[in-house]
Amino acid sequence: MISTIRNMRVPNQVSIGALALISMIFIVLVLAISELINDKLNQIVTSHQRTEASLLANHLESEHDLISKSLNKMANLVVHDLDRRIVKKGQQLMLDNLPLTQAQQSLAQTSNAVDSNILIVEKQGQTYRALTASNPFFLSSQFSGRYDFANPAVELTIKNQRYIANVKPLAISSSLYVAVLVPESAIFQSMANRFEELSFGKSGYLYVTDTDADEGKLLLHPTLAGKNLYQLFPDLKATFQQLYHADSGVIYYTAKVSGKDQESQESKAIFQ
């Protein structure tokens, strides 16, 4: 091929060289345009996905506010009811003419009416000890901390289980409080049932993680709920930590997600 070109007349050689150069330039130009188009498309897709993530974040915040307000209303009803039913006879507190420690059944009826767990607790310093409860699981349980009771919802951990709670004082004693509890797992399971039909592109999905002491824990995920990102993907810890260093953004990583992927996939997480 080269010897054939050499035997050609000089004008023909120049023409072939120019054609080859034009072909190379055209190929490079096509590749550059293709890369530019893909980059623009990715920017458009990412921008759209950012909007979706923002809408979902706002929706989840609205749901949290609604749960908090509902819990606050239920706690107000419970307090109003118990303030009428709890009396003091001598040195003993009675609920429906029974000592508090023997009034689980009466409290269970109230609990069923509001579809939540109810504890009557006594405050001792910064510790709240259950005197009675609608569920025997909570008997003799306790929780500690400083709580803003004006807040309609606080997080409590009792016997290694987490709850969203509303804690309010009872009128009969300055050390007596009622706690209305909803298991955090039940709240997120309800959300998961409603969000499982949502899809983002061909294989995208929603997940929610915890922060602070339980940073990285997956509260909501199609297949990994309850597990921790840092433990599942230790090599990607630094990447996932970026989720908590900004109010919003995008991270890129390659991982195989159990129950979702057959092999490692290049992935993008848009967070809010």
Side-chain angles (χ1 to χ4, degrees), residues 85-193:
R85 294 163 57 193
I86 297 178
V87 297
K88 193 170 186 179
K89 291 186 176 180
Q91 296 300 313
Q92 194 168 40
L93 292 173
M94 311 287 286
L95 172 60
D96 296 340
N97 295 317
L98 291 172
L100 282 183
T101 54
Q102 300 175 23
Q104 290 92 350
Q105 188 172 352
S106 293
L107 205 57
Q109 292 174 356
T110 305
S111 172
N112 291 335
V114 297
D115 195 26
S116 302
N117 296 299
I118 300 175
L119 282 68
I120 296 178
V121 298
E122 183 179 32
K123 183 179 179 182
Q124 300 173 339
Q126 295 302 320
T127 299
Y128 297 81
R129 183 176 61 85
L131 300 179
T132 189
S134 59
N135 187 326
F137 172 81
F138 296 103
L139 294 178
S140 301
S141 65
Q142 63 183 35
F143 55 91
S144 301
R146 296 178 180 272
Y147 300 102
D148 177 9
F149 298 121
N151 190 333
V154 296
E155 292 184 1
L156 299 181
T157 299
I158 300 176
K159 294 186 176 180
N160 297 320
Q161 295 191 30
R162 292 174 54 167
Y163 299 86
I164 304 299
N166 188 289
V167 184
K168 293 184 179 297
L170 289 167
I172 197 166
S173 171
S174 60
S175 63
L176 209 61
Y177 293 77
V178 62
V180 180
L181 313 176
V182 177
E184 189 180 77
S185 58
I187 293 173
F188 284 112
Q189 184 58 56
S190 175
M191 289 183 177
N193 293 339

Side-chain angles (χ1 to χ4, degrees), residues 202-258:
K202 292 182 179 180
S203 58
Y205 53 88
L206 168 74
Y207 65 87
V208 177
T209 70
D210 206 345
T211 58
D212 298 327
D214 288 319
E215 183 176 291
K217 181 181 178 181
L218 290 159
L219 301 174
L220 200 64
H221 190 281
T223 59
L224 301 174
K227 297 182 180 179
N228 192 290
L229 286 171
Y230 298 159
Q231 296 172 0
L232 290 169
F233 309 106
D235 294 341
L236 295 173
K237 182 175 180 178
T239 300
F240 286 123
Q241 282 178 328
Q242 296 176 47
L243 296 171
Y244 312 102
H245 294 163
D247 292 334
S248 62
V250 184
I251 60 171
Y252 298 87
Y253 56 92
T254 300
K256 178 182 177 181
V257 178
S258 178

